[in-house]
Amino acid sequence: MSLRVTLATASRVLHQLRRDRRTIALVLVVPPFLLTLFRYVFDGQPETFDRVGGPLVGIFPLITMFLVTSIAMLRERTTGTLERLMSMPLAKADLLLGYGLAFALLAAVQATITTAVAFGLLGLDVDGPVWVVVMLATANALLGVGLGLFLSAFASTEFQAVQFLPAVLVPQILLCGLLVPRDRMNGFLEAISDALPMSYAFDGLERAIAGETDRWLALDASVVLGSVVIALLLGATTLRRRTA
């Protein structure tokens, strides 16, 4: 591994993203906009927004980072950029960490903006430390990055990459506890939700909002970060060097 190569890869990805204004808008503008829309949908029910709005601070960034990362990586694969890079004498870890670092920085900015809008402009009420919510929202966005990097290997077009959203993320949104508490679900569905990373992402944000900074919150955060690492490791297995 080489720190220089990793940083060079991250710099290249960030430079490409900076020139893509629509992607920047998707990442930085859409999550706060959706959260604002959600706030005024429940304009007469502030307690509902306080209960669900907090977890959405992390779920919306997860969704947008998944879309951006999977499509960006797919473009690298289909245009031959990734193949050319893999033909060079550099480690897979350098490439993957470079991509991960670039999108991690973008995820941190996204989570910070979304949280600032939620607590500063929309008046989201929390009992726990705001910085914990920011950290968890960033971790959730990183989960979207890891899943996007991994699943992009199974798509051959951008349309197919987008199809992973309803196939992979929507079921997790339905089962994470956002609509119905998980302990009130059918036992079979509850068991499935226990194996889904978004369930722990939701639980962690819910605990942080309620001020429950205990070992259960640490467990939720550990599962989310562990899922990010697993997704990145699986993504590394999809990188292939060009053969002669």
Side-chain angles (χ1 to χ4, degrees):
M1 289 180 58
S2 169
L3 178 61
R4 182 181 61 83
V5 174
T6 298
L7 294 178
T9 302
S11 177
R12 181 181 64 81
V13 174
L14 288 174
H15 182 70
Q16 290 177 335
L17 289 173
R18 186 180 63 180
R19 293 183 299 177
D20 191 341
R21 295 181 179 179
R22 286 177 294 184
T23 296
I24 294 298
L26 174 64
V27 173
L28 302 183
V29 178
V30 171
F33 170 75
L34 292 177
L35 204 59
T36 302
L37 182 63
F38 192 86
R39 160 66 178 82
Y40 288 102
V41 165
F42 292 98
D43 192 36
Q45 304 175 51
E47 68 284 351
T48 301
F49 179 69
D50 287 339
R51 180 182 67 85
V52 184
L56 288 179
V57 168
I59 290 178
F60 284 152
L62 188 158
I63 294 172
T64 55
M65 288 307 298
F66 173 84
L67 284 173
V68 169
T69 306
S70 59
I71 293 176
M73 179 56 86
L74 178 64
R75 287 177 180 174
E76 298 278 71
R77 295 176 188 271
T78 55
T79 58
T81 301
L82 188 61
E83 185 181 9
R84 289 193 295 271
L85 290 173
M86 290 304 298
S87 68
M88 301 170 62
L90 48 84
K92 293 181 180 180
D94 289 325
L95 286 177
L96 205 60
L97 288 177
Y99 284 107
L101 178 60
F103 286 113
L105 292 175
L106 189 61
V109 174
Q110 179 194 57
T112 301
I113 293 175
T114 303
T115 305
V117 170
F119 297 119
L121 299 180
L122 302 181
L124 184 64
D125 188 26
V126 296
D127 295 324
V130 174
W131 69 268
V132 175
V133 178
V134 174
M135 295 299 292
L136 288 172
T138 302
N140 289 350
L142 288 176
L143 178 60
V145 170
L147 292 174
L149 288 174
F150 170 54
L151 292 173
S152 66
F154 302 97
S156 56
T157 65
E158 293 184 12
F159 179 69
Q160 290 179 359
V162 172
Q163 287 177 325
F164 282 118
L165 176 62
V168 176
L169 293 190
V170 171
Q172 295 193 60
I173 294 174
L174 296 177
L175 297 177
C176 72
L178 178 65
L179 303 179
V180 178
R182 292 194 293 136
D183 57 4
R184 297 183 187 177
M185 296 179 184
N186 176 275
F188 177 70
L189 294 179
E190 183 179 359
I192 293 177
S193 71
D194 288 340
L196 301 176
M198 192 179 290
S199 298
Y200 299 90
F202 177 86
D203 285 348
L205 282 164
E206 199 170 41
R207 294 180 193 279
I209 295 297
E212 300 175 8
T213 52
D214 53 15
R215 63 188 181 91
W216 295 110
L217 175 60
L219 175 62
D220 290 330
S222 298
V223 171
V224 172
L225 292 175
S227 299
V228 174
V229 173
I230 291 173
L232 289 176
L233 290 176
L234 291 174
T237 65
T238 67
L239 300 179
R240 295 289 184 268
R241 293 192 182 276
R242 183 170 57 185
T243 58

